[in-house]
Each structure stands twice: as structure tokens, then as C-alpha cells.
Amino acid sequence: MRMSEGVEWAMHTCLNLTWLPTGQAVPAAKLAAFYRLPAAYLNKQLQALARAGVVSSTPGPRGGFQLARTPEKITLLDIVVAIEGPEEAFRCDELLKRGPGADPKTDYRQACLVSRAMRRADLAWRRELAGQTLADLKADVEQEYPASPGNTVNRFTALRA
Amino acid sequence: MRMSEGVEWAMHTCLNLTWLPTGQAVPAAKLAAFYRLPAAYLNKQLQALARAGVVSSTPGPRGGFQLARTPEKITLLDIVVAIEGPEEAFRCDELLKRGPGADPKTDYRQACLVSRAMRRADLAWRRELAGQTLADLKADVEQEYPASPGNTVNRFTALRA
């Protein structure tokens, strides 16, 4: 059970956008060039983030992507779910429907204690990710790596040259 | 990010084994027939559980699979890790190595705050699964569905007929 590499890309791309002036849209090609990522694949993640309302895109020659909300209103869970989808990690195919004493009318995703135990773990994971915003992450980075915001802006500027 | 269906199969198969007399080995074909699962695929999960030390297999005509430890000593995490592997769910390819100000000697899986935030969520998930044993699950099922142990034994007996 592993996430796609797109989660790492999306997470760092959103974080980098917090250091740019509000309202400044960055073309997808520049966001990809920042980490030398394949532009078509990063663009796929950007579209997913846009569909989820995490980033917004502006068309046109000066268009591009920016955060759709303030970093305080974007959680790490928002970003993960945008890329990986909302489904729970545990796949319950209601195996108990084929078991002895099965009731065809029962929803075993709710009734089955295996499914419920797995869901509790999934919720613990989601709670942890939902409890941290992009603003928290930004603040943590700025405290531990004070050069990061400047480095980020400088690289975007250089890419723009 | 979804687990394989093998996790559900393994979880229910291990749970069913708790209701059989200790020391009774069940052939893989019977474990598969219990839920009408494809024998070759369930066997793959059983081999993974055996490699992880969750079940043990006895060769020979009366051989088969049984739990390798008491249900008190098998956690839900043991079963999930046996099937899905020990890797963390978040894939960190150390994207920061390509970022501005990168230090080639730094291990960004440890230094990167994105990676650390994702690891905290992974740990919350693991803690939840590690905090519940197969004995807990067995007790919960017996309390909520008292007919389950008898139904399980009866079906195994019928399969044996």
C-alpha cells in the first residue's frame, strides 16, 4: 500500500506556492521545472488539486496556478485526498457475505468488525493529516530552514528569467 | 492508495483459525473453500503470513495452516504488514535533493518536514492497528455475533465431510 509519487510533488508544490505573493499565478511548466519534474505528470497532479479546490488555475498568457485558499484553510489531508482520492485504504469486499450465517441484507462494511477496526486506523491517519495545515507546515519549515522561502522565491525568479 | 483484497482475506482467515482447536492444521484448499476464494491467490497470502510468522504450515497429508502464536500475540498490524509489506504509505523520493539550497549529504527522508508530517500520520495508523490483537477482535465478534464461532466450526466440519 503506497501512495503515488504525485503526493510528494503536490505537497512540495503547494508549499512552495505559499511563499509567492498572493495572486501570483505560476505556469505549470515553471512548477515542473522547479524540481525538474516531468511536466505532463505534474500537470496531472495540478489538475487534480484544482478539481479538489486546493489550487485554482487562471487561463491565458500570464495565467497559471495559485493556491485557491489561504494556507490556514488547506490541510495536508486535502492535498493527499486530491491526489489519492477519498477512498479508505482498506478494501472491504464484504467477504462475510460468503461466510456461514450471512444475511444478504446486511451491509458488512458497517457490520463487520474487521472492517470497523481497519476504519478506525484509517480515521487515525486522516485525523493526523487533517490536523496539520499548509500554514503549519510553512511555519515549521521557516523555523527550521529559514533560508527556504528565499531560496524558493529566487529559484522561481531565475526560472522566469 | 488502497490495500490489496488479500488483507481482508488474511484477516478473516486468521480470525477463523482462532475458533479451531489449537494444533489443528487446516489445508489451504479448505481455507479457500470457506469463502469460495481462488485457492492459488489465498495460498499466496498464506505463504506471506507464514513468512511473517503469523501462521505456521505443517507439510504432509494431515498438514495445513494454523496460527503460529496465540491470538493475544498477533496484532492486526502483524497481519497487514505480512500482506502489504513494511514500507511506509508515503513515498518520499527526496524531491528536496533537486530543490534550491539542497545539500547532497542530507537524508531528506529524515530532514524534510513534509516527509516527517506524513510519517506521523503513518505512525498514527500503525499505532491503531498495533493496539488491537486478534484476541481482541475475536472477543468483539463473540460478544456482538455469538453465533459466529459455532458457524465457523460447522462450516469447516462440513467442508471436511
Side-chain angles (χ1 to χ4, degrees):
Chain A
M1 184 192 66
R2 298 208 83 191
M3 291 179 206
S4 75
E5 59 195 354
V7 174
E8 188 185 15
W9 301 358
M11 211 65 97
H12 283 285
T13 297
C14 288
L15 179 61
N16 287 342
L17 288 173
T18 69
W19 287 309
L20 295 180
T22 305
Q24 182 174 323
V26 186
K30 281 185 179 155
L31 292 170
F34 191 96
Y35 290 119
R36 290 175 278 124
L37 294 174
Y41 290 122
L42 181 64
N43 202 48
K44 206 180 136 215
Q45 319 307 331
L46 289 167
Q47 297 298 340
L49 288 167
R51 278 193 302 274
V54 172
V55 301
S56 59
S57 70
T58 322
R62 295 188 66 88
F65 290 87
Q66 55 188 297
L67 294 178
R69 307 193 289 269
T70 59
E72 288 77 13
K73 291 195 174 152
I74 298 171
T75 70
L76 302 195
L77 184 62
D78 293 333
I79 297 172
V80 172
V81 166
I83 305 299
E84 290 288 315
E87 285 182 322
E88 291 173 11
F90 177 62
R91 183 190 301 266
C92 174
D93 288 333
E94 299 194 75
L95 203 53
L96 290 187
K97 280 227 161 108
R98 311 189 201 172
D103 172 4
K105 293 189 301 293
T106 296
D107 178 355
Y108 284 102
R109 286 164 302 183
Q110 304 304 324
C112 172
L113 285 149
V114 168
S115 206
R116 281 193 241 159
M118 297 305 288
R119 189 168 301 122
R120 276 198 300 276
D122 197 85
L123 285 172
W125 178 79
R126 278 166 205 271
R127 243 190 325 266
E128 189 71 34
L129 291 175
Q132 188 158 5
T133 67
L134 206 48
D136 298 329
L137 186 60
K138 173 178 187 284
D140 288 349
V141 172
E142 287 172 2
Q143 182 170 0
E144 196 158 343
Y145 304 103
S148 277
N151 284 341
T152 301
V153 170
N154 288 344
R155 177 168 289 191
F156 274 122
T157 307
L159 288 172
R160 225 166 255 127
Chain B
M1 183 192 67
R2 298 209 83 191
M3 293 180 204
S4 76
E5 58 196 355
V7 174
E8 188 186 15
W9 301 358
M11 212 64 98
H12 282 286
T13 297
C14 288
L15 179 62
N16 287 342
L17 287 172
T18 69
W19 287 310
L20 296 180
T22 306
Q24 181 174 322
V26 185
K30 280 184 180 156
L31 291 171
F34 191 97
Y35 289 118
R36 289 175 278 124
L37 295 173
Y41 290 122
L42 181 64
N43 202 46
K44 206 180 136 214
Q45 318 307 332
L46 289 167
Q47 297 298 341
L49 289 166
R51 279 194 302 275
V54 173
V55 301
S56 59
S57 69
T58 321
R62 296 186 65 90
F65 290 87
Q66 55 187 296
L67 294 179
R69 308 193 290 270
T70 60
E72 287 76 13
K73 292 193 172 152
I74 298 170
T75 70
L76 302 195
L77 185 62
D78 292 333
I79 298 172
V80 172
V81 166
I83 305 299
E84 290 288 315
E87 285 180 322
E88 289 172 14
F90 178 62
R91 184 191 300 266
C92 174
D93 289 333
E94 299 193 74
L95 203 54
L96 290 187
K97 280 226 160 108
R98 312 188 199 173
D103 173 3
K105 293 190 301 294
T106 296
D107 177 355
Y108 285 102
R109 285 163 303 184
Q110 305 303 324
C112 171
L113 285 149
V114 168
S115 208
R116 281 195 241 159
M118 297 306 287
R119 189 168 301 120
R120 275 198 301 277
D122 197 85
L123 285 172
W125 179 78
R126 280 166 204 271
R127 243 190 325 267
E128 189 71 34
L129 291 176
Q132 188 158 5
T133 68
L134 206 46
D136 298 329
L137 187 59
K138 175 179 186 284
D140 289 350
V141 172
E142 288 172 2
Q143 183 171 359
E144 196 157 342
Y145 304 104
S148 278
N151 285 341
T152 301
V153 170
N154 289 345
R155 176 168 288 190
F156 274 123
T157 307
L159 288 171
R160 227 166 251 127

